[in-house]
Amino acid sequence: MLAFLVDAYRVDEAPTAKGDVEKRTLLALHSQLAPIKVAVLPLSRNETLVPEARRVHDLVKPLWMTSYDDAGAIGRRYRRQDEVGTPFCVTVDFETLTDRQVTVRERDTMAQERLPIEGLLAYLQERLSWD
């Protein structure tokens, strides 16, 4: 296990919201080895976002080990998930309330993709399956 951890430990540079660059520590474990597969993050603790984020979390938690985090700024929450090796973060924002879509962020590339909540399980299943 130590070999997997040493191999997966990375420090790279990532852009901040202000346009600066900062060091980012991440545990780039293969998704099959990552203890937490999906984190659900509301954009803020707004009283209209939290219930929707909880519903999304309830949707994914029967299938994978998950985390729900609403403490602090969204960038810091992404960094916390990167540090523990969570491969995917699902963000619920104010647009989610009207368009029923969430943003999925991939840990290693930091690429973000917007997709319907109805398609979230299939999207994650495709990327987290053993096949």
Side-chain angles (χ1 to χ4, degrees):
M1 187 63 183
L2 181 59
F4 286 115
L5 290 173
V6 168
D7 184 58
Y9 180 81
R10 309 249 192 296
V11 177
D12 65 12
E13 293 185 346
T16 65
K18 296 178 182 177
D20 297 330
V21 176
E22 69 180 10
K23 298 276 187 200
R24 173 178 83 128
T25 302
L26 70 145
L27 196 58
L29 289 169
H30 186 279
S31 63
Q32 298 305 319
L33 297 176
I36 299 170
K37 309 292 188 207
V38 181
V40 176
L41 315 171
L43 190 60
S44 71
R45 286 187 174 168
N46 182 283
E47 63 188 31
T48 58
L49 286 182
V50 170
E52 188 63 30
R54 290 285 183 190
R55 280 191 283 279
V56 171
H57 185 242
D58 290 344
L59 182 68
V60 297
K61 74 180 178 181
L63 299 173
W64 301 285
M65 289 294 294
T66 62
S67 174
Y68 178 90
D69 187 359
D70 63 2
I74 191 72
R76 285 191 174 86
R77 288 185 269 155
Y78 281 143
R79 296 295 184 258
R80 279 197 296 267
Q81 295 303 319
D82 292 345
E83 289 172 353
V84 297
T86 307
F88 295 98
C89 290
V90 177
T91 305
V92 175
D93 57 27
F94 291 102
E95 290 179 39
T96 302
L97 303 176
T98 56
D99 67 8
R100 307 291 301 148
Q101 294 189 12
V102 292
T103 302
V104 180
R105 176 185 176 269
E106 198 271 330
R107 174 200 62 215
D108 297 337
T109 64
M110 295 193 305
Q112 296 186 9
E113 188 171 342
R114 191 114 176 119
L115 56 118
I117 294 172
E118 297 81 34
L120 179 61
L121 293 182
Y123 177 91
L124 293 170
Q125 185 72 40
E126 181 181 317
R127 285 152 181 83
L128 293 170
S129 70
W130 285 94
D131 298 335

